[in-house]
Amino acid sequence: MATKTEVAKQYVDFQQARDFDGLATLLADDVELKMPMAGEVSGKEAVGKRLRNQPGGDNAPQLQWSDPEEDGDDIKVSATGAPFGPLSLVLSFNANEQITKINIAIGANGGGGFQPPPLNMSWADVPTERPPKPSNFGEDGFTLAKADSGSYGWAPAHWPYQNDTPRGAWPAEDANRGLPAPYTIFDKHEVWADNAADLYELGIRERWIPATEVSWGSIEPLDDHVEAALDQVFTNISETQYNSNQILMGWLQEISYGFHEVKLYLSTQVFDQARHVEAFRKRALANGGGLGVQMPGFMHRTVYAAFKFTELICYINILRASFLLALAENEHLPKSEADRQLFGHTANDLQRHLAFGVDHLKHYIRHDTINLSHVNTWLARGEAMMAADLRRDKPLREALILGLGETVEEGKERLNELRQAQLQKYVKTLEAASVYKREESLVPAFQRVIDEP
Amino acid sequence: MVKAETLEMLRKESAGEDLDLSWIDKPAAERGLRVTRGKRGLTLEDISVGTYGNPPEVTRNQSGRMRGSAPRDDAQNLGRHWMLKSESWSDSSMMIYEEALQRQWSSATDIPWEEMPEMDDDLELAMSQLCTFLTQVEFIAGDVPGKFAPNISADHFETGLFLATQIMDEARHLDVFRKRALANGIGLLQAGPGAIGLLTAESFIDMTASLHLVGEGFIQSMFRMGELFAHSEVDKRIFRLAAQDESRHVAFGVMHMKHLLDTEPERKEEVHTYLDRMEGRVGASSTQAGLTGGGDTSEALAILLGGGKDEKRLNEGYKKLMAVRRRQFTEYLHRLEVVGLGDRKERLPERIRAFLDADVA
């Protein structure tokens, strides 16, 4: 016959295995179950049913049970890992070593209250790096770059953990790691940019609030056709940034936790883009105008269809951001202090987006000689789609002509200058990213829409 | 409207012969709107007026056309956007989007790091363990809404804007708890099972039930009790600011759920199933247990709450932890009542229901 201690061990094992038929073999016919959180039941059948439905809390497999200990005539076991702190299990027995009473209670000492379980603190002994205490914060404060010192700042070429283990923490044992995540990007070269941590902090420092930090009252009534032209441009910007914003948010769940700097930076970028969506919408509605006509959407579709993160970055951080930045820097389009503030803040945001794109492309291209070819493929695809949009977007073309010039003729000249400035911004950005002489291999349709806007 | 003679004059200008300008005459929504600023500046609510302020209940807009702009016949169909407003709408989005912008903070400069005191070794270890847990799980609450963002129709774009603020907030939380663990000489400690289970949400309402009503709600309750386990002004400020952020996220989810159940009450049982899963009633272990109650986290919290690891303090810490848990469940129940699921109290697992009545305060 098994001893009481052995029966208690069997009880715990059956419970963890959710083997309630096996567990029932340990019970006396008149067994009583007392769970202070769930009342009392008695009789083997009723107790079995209760345990089957509420097996020591629904998370029984997660509980870590101590070894059974004698407690007078009873056997006591305690558990950690329950949602409410420690649990205790006290079992009483009849002469046949069958279980006659089961008392499950919150607190390691059972119904007596909330005595602590045996102190474990194994988490305090894990051999992670002890970082130096930071000092001399300076006006930038305690930045990510300062915090991630030593090995904490080292992002490996391949991140080995499939769950949300933070970089630098001691990973949980295999059995306690939970679900592997749906992340698909584990290789650093696919997402990394050396400046991500700094850009993250900069993005936070340079945040702005369209509702209160734009001088909306400075906007004076404009000629109706000029207001309509500006509003058409604002409509395009708002729509473009909503598209970039949506898709970029969707890519966050692809990036594994080991590259937290990138996830953090991208969060600032989606936040920036959300601001652009609403700020330009507000401006379109603020001065007696309204939204204009939607875009053709070839680039929208292309952004949605990006198969690779770097491909997406080519579209939204390089091509789109270059063109939008050159537009935001144009001196002829803003007609009020509010307009200048809007474009100025937006340009500032876009500088960061470009900077991330540049550093990421550089890192990606350095990784493998074939990667430059990938980049050129994506750039060509982006150029072709942007050309398709620009060629078909008559409202945008005409709006820019009316918005940029005092006369139609002047507007056309300035549109020409704008397109050249946008191309130059794009080409120079690529040069900074170590993609040289792109101007010599532009997609012809793209070149045409620049030369003949 | 632009006068016809103005358009004609423009076409007759030098180089104006190829201008079409028909787009000026075809606005989808009204022109001539002059929105006015309120006390909080020019907000989304201020511009959500007239024909711009009427998000359609059902939309066939699959092109990314912003609500109120004029459609094109040749626009690309992206085929990914939800048609029903009820799928993602929350009446609170506009307000809490603007609030999120006003209340952004910087983990680098808005926390008084230079005032970080020397802490008792055990308390510092416990805080670092708690922060290891928090930096692990916090950005899951950024990954999850990001998963659904590409599906938000541009006719309901305010939801998308709010989600961007949540992602920004969660980035800051990952960041600030990481920094805290690294700020006082200990560093990151033991990672746990994490919160990847939240990424299994397969619909927006599944997400708001599991992430906002349960996960974020539980974290919010915990942060709001940060005064109990934070032993320095540095830590108190972190938890206060993070709780403020979480309140917005919870508000979004509550109002989304309320909107859904007001407009589609027949989906009530469906919502219950998501909560059943989170409460651990469908066989798999509850994600939420791992979220706020894993063994390592509980022990660290108990040490912090009690002020040490000796038997007396640990005992006191566990008592306070019980009070924290009780508050988490009490506030959860309140959220359920607000969204129209007050009857769930009768469906709660007994271990939770009884806990609500337990004398642990």
Side-chain angles (χ1 to χ4, degrees):
Chain A
M1 191 165 61
T3 66
K4 287 188 284 191
T5 303
E6 288 167 343
V7 173
K9 183 76 172 67
Q10 288 174 9
Y11 178 98
V12 169
D13 290 343
F14 281 137
Q15 192 175 61
Q16 286 192 303
R18 304 177 72 80
D19 180 357
F20 301 110
D21 293 332
L23 194 149
T25 64
L26 307 177
L27 306 180
D29 289 341
D30 59 348
V31 63
E32 295 174 6
L33 169 67
K34 183 179 179 186
M35 297 173 72
M37 294 185 297
E40 297 182 27
V41 290
S42 59
K44 190 170 180 176
E45 187 177 344
V47 168
K49 188 176 175 186
R50 172 60 58 86
L51 288 173
R52 193 177 296 275
N53 292 330
Q54 298 286 335
D58 296 334
N59 310 298
Q62 294 183 347
L63 299 178
Q64 293 95 45
W65 292 94
S66 66
D67 289 332
E69 292 175 11
E70 289 190 11
D71 184 14
D73 291 336
D74 299 332
I75 297 293
K76 181 181 161 191
V77 193
S78 58
T80 56
F84 321 122
L87 293 177
S88 77
L89 167 68
V90 178
L91 301 174
S92 302
F93 296 85
N94 61 20
N96 296 325
E97 308 297 20
Q98 290 176 309
I99 297 172
T100 56
K101 286 185 181 173
I102 305 168
N103 188 346
I104 300 172
I106 297 173
N109 279 359
F114 310 106
Q115 296 300 312
L119 192 66
N120 180 316
M121 282 190 76
S122 57
W123 43 266
D125 297 328
V126 295
T128 52
E129 182 175 332
R130 297 287 172 265
K133 292 187 183 182
S135 57
N136 302 322
F137 294 111
E139 64 179 25
D140 290 346
F142 189 26
T143 61
L144 201 54
K146 277 201 178 87
D148 274 344
S149 62
S151 64
Y152 290 103
W154 181 72
H158 178 82
W159 179 246
Y161 304 114
Q162 295 194 46
N163 71 341
D164 45 4
T165 299
R167 200 175 74 218
W170 190 251
E173 292 177 3
D174 289 350
N176 194 34
R177 273 188 206 169
L179 275 177
Y183 302 136
T184 59
I185 297 176
F186 293 93
D187 288 335
K188 184 176 179 179
H189 73 274
E190 291 189 72
V191 287
W192 190 255
D194 287 337
N195 57 6
D198 291 339
L199 288 174
Y200 165 72
E201 299 287 2
L202 193 61
I204 290 174
R205 278 205 297 280
E206 296 183 343
R207 65 190 184 272
W208 55 288
I209 306 171
T212 52
E213 293 178 11
V214 172
S215 307
W216 297 107
S218 72
I219 306 173
E220 298 288 342
L222 298 167
D223 288 344
D224 286 346
H225 69 281
V226 175
E227 182 61 39
L230 291 185
D231 293 345
Q232 178 60 52
V233 175
F234 301 144
T235 302
N236 281 52
I237 296 173
S238 186
E239 183 180 318
T240 294
Q241 295 303 78
Y242 188 65
N243 174 259
S244 293
N245 169 264
Q246 279 190 292
I247 301 306
L248 192 54
M249 284 198 276
W251 273 84
L252 290 169
Q253 64 154 344
E254 306 292 334
I255 303 168
S256 60
Y257 244 54
F259 309 119
H260 62 261
E261 294 92 337
V262 174
K263 285 172 97 83
L264 297 183
Y265 162 72
L266 293 177
S267 301
T268 68
Q269 184 169 321
V270 299
F271 188 54
D272 295 342
Q273 289 164 337
R275 240 176 0 231
H276 302 163
V277 172
E278 53 104 351
F280 286 99
R281 182 181 181 88
K282 286 173 178 172
R283 173 59 188 87
L285 301 182
N287 199 28
L291 293 180
V293 181
Q294 74 170 129
M295 301 169 73
F298 284 88
M299 271 301 280
H300 295 348
R301 179 189 171 282
T302 306
V303 167
Y304 262 79
F307 292 141
K308 301 290 182 188
F309 179 78
T310 307
E311 179 184 4
L312 179 80
I313 293 303
C314 285
Y315 301 147
I316 67 176
N317 281 60
I318 301 293
L319 189 49
R320 263 187 179 169
S322 298
F323 270 57
L324 186 50
L325 177 56
L327 177 71
E329 290 175 342
N330 187 286
E331 61 182 318
H332 302 295
L333 205 53
K335 308 297 181 193
S336 65
E337 181 59 20
D339 294 348
R340 280 185 282 279
Q341 290 167 338
L342 268 178
F343 281 123
H345 285 307
T346 301
N348 208 34
D349 294 341
L350 291 167
Q351 295 279 11
R352 293 193 302 276
H353 305 180
L354 276 183
F356 175 83
V358 164
D359 260 25
H360 171 58
L361 279 195
K362 275 192 331 202
H363 187 89
Y364 177 78
I365 290 167
R366 272 203 307 265
H367 178 75
D368 193 323
T369 50
I370 198 172
N371 286 354
L372 178 59
S373 159
H374 291 159
V375 168
N376 278 316
T377 300
W378 293 324
L379 293 175
R381 182 170 162 72
E383 290 167 8
M385 295 304 138
M386 181 173 270
D389 271 346
L390 293 179
R391 183 58 69 200
R392 285 167 174 75
D393 203 342
K394 189 186 292 182
L396 177 63
R397 172 182 179 268
E398 295 186 352
L400 286 169
I401 291 169
L402 300 184
L404 288 168
E406 296 294 321
T407 65
V408 171
E409 192 166 6
E410 185 179 56
K412 284 187 171 181
E413 284 171 16
R414 288 179 174 170
L415 175 58
N416 197 38
E417 291 166 5
L418 171 66
R419 291 289 181 242
Q420 292 301 326
Q422 289 173 316
L423 178 64
Q424 283 307 305
K425 186 76 73 183
Y426 171 60
V427 168
K428 296 292 181 195
T429 298
L430 287 173
E431 279 180 13
S434 68
V435 180
Y436 301 106
K437 297 184 178 177
R438 181 71 202 167
E439 68 275 21
E440 294 176 7
S441 53
L442 295 173
V443 166
F446 185 64
Q447 183 75 65
R448 275 198 300 279
V449 85
I450 298 295
D451 293 340
E452 303 162 23
Chain B
M1 292 291 287
V2 181
K3 292 177 182 170
E5 51 265 37
T6 303
L7 299 180
E8 195 51 37
M9 186 186 72
L10 289 166
R11 289 190 192 98
K12 286 182 177 173
E13 270 192 39
S14 171
E17 60 280 356
D18 67 340
L19 294 184
D20 175 61
L21 301 178
S22 60
W23 52 274
I24 290 184
D25 278 335
K26 296 174 183 170
E30 62 200 282
R31 288 194 186 277
L33 209 61
R34 285 192 187 275
V35 295
T36 51
R37 284 168 293 157
K39 288 179 183 171
R40 292 173 291 128
L42 186 61
T43 66
L44 281 175
E45 286 170 304
D46 294 329
I47 63 165
S48 189
V49 293
T51 46
Y52 293 100
N54 190 20
E57 298 296 328
V58 181
T59 175
R60 294 180 61 82
N61 175 10
Q62 290 289 341
S63 61
R65 171 172 50 82
M66 299 305 290
R67 190 175 75 233
S69 64
R72 300 173 61 103
D73 294 338
D74 60 352
Q76 301 290 288
N77 185 320
L78 303 170
R80 295 267 295 273
H81 298 153
W82 290 322
M83 297 170 70
L84 298 179
K85 177 183 173 185
S86 59
E87 199 69 45
S88 65
W89 188 258
S90 173
D91 286 335
S92 61
S93 290
M94 287 183 267
M95 185 185 73
I96 55 179
Y97 168 79
E98 295 287 359
E99 185 183 310
L101 265 68
Q102 293 290 346
R103 294 192 160 192
Q104 286 298 298
W105 52 280
S106 163
S107 69
T109 55
D110 290 331
I111 305 297
W113 299 108
E114 64 281 0
E115 297 170 19
M116 175 68 79
E118 286 290 329
M119 299 243 299
D120 171 87
D121 286 351
D122 294 326
L123 295 180
E124 184 54 38
L125 280 163
M127 180 55 75
S128 295
Q129 176 58 34
L130 176 62
C131 289
T132 301
F133 160 74
L134 291 170
T135 198
Q136 173 167 8
V137 301
E138 279 291 313
F139 200 77
I140 299 303
D143 285 337
V144 179
K147 171 178 176 174
F148 297 104
N151 302 110
I152 310 294
S153 168
D155 279 329
H156 309 130
F157 70 92
E158 290 92 337
T159 294
L161 299 189
F162 165 75
L163 294 181
T165 69
Q166 178 168 334
I167 287 169
M168 182 66 244
D169 293 342
E170 301 299 357
R172 203 168 44 242
H173 296 177
L174 180 159
D175 155 42
V176 76
F177 291 116
R178 182 178 181 86
K179 283 176 179 170
R180 173 60 189 88
L182 296 168
N184 215 11
I186 296 296
L188 295 173
L189 294 173
Q190 176 71 62
I196 296 298
L198 291 167
L199 276 161
T200 64
E202 283 301 321
S203 67
F204 200 81
I205 190 67
D206 185 349
M207 173 189 76
T208 46
S210 56
L211 178 67
H212 292 103
L213 254 65
V214 181
E216 297 270 73
F218 277 47
I219 288 283
Q220 180 207 22
S221 301
M222 185 172 135
F223 286 175
R224 281 161 57 173
M225 296 183 85
E227 301 285 331
L228 293 179
F229 52 82
H231 289 265
S232 70
E233 278 308 309
V234 172
D235 294 342
K236 285 177 183 173
R237 184 151 177 79
I238 290 172
F239 287 111
R240 275 185 216 130
L241 289 169
Q244 202 176 82
D245 296 341
E246 298 294 357
S247 296
R248 292 193 299 274
H249 309 166
V250 172
F252 171 83
V254 165
M255 294 307 286
H256 168 59
M257 185 73 76
K258 187 172 188 320
H259 181 84
L260 179 90
L261 294 177
D262 285 349
T263 54
E264 299 180 30
E266 68 277 10
R267 294 184 69 179
K268 193 171 176 180
E269 281 304 312
E270 174 199 339
V271 172
H272 275 304
T273 66
Y274 304 135
L275 299 174
D276 284 346
R277 196 186 74 236
M278 291 304 289
E279 292 167 8
R281 293 178 67 100
V282 293
S285 23
S286 160
T287 309
Q288 192 53 37
L291 261 180
T292 57
D296 293 343
T297 309
S298 285
E299 188 169 67
L301 268 170
I303 291 170
L304 289 166
L305 286 162
K309 69 177 182 184
D310 63 76
E311 187 173 349
K312 185 180 173 193
R313 287 178 178 164
L314 199 58
N315 184 30
E316 184 63 23
Y318 273 111
K319 279 185 184 173
K320 289 181 179 174
L321 179 59
M322 297 284 285
V324 172
R325 300 293 185 228
R326 183 185 183 192
R327 178 160 169 179
Q328 288 175 317
F329 288 123
T330 304
E331 292 183 346
Y332 172 52
L333 199 63
H334 176 66
R335 290 191 292 278
L336 293 174
E337 286 169 0
V338 170
V339 303
L341 293 172
D343 61 338
R344 186 159 184 87
K345 185 170 185 181
E346 306 309 315
R347 298 173 62 145
L348 290 174
E350 286 179 352
R351 64 191 175 86
I352 296 178
R353 196 167 65 212
F355 197 85
L356 291 166
D357 302 324
D359 182 18
V360 293

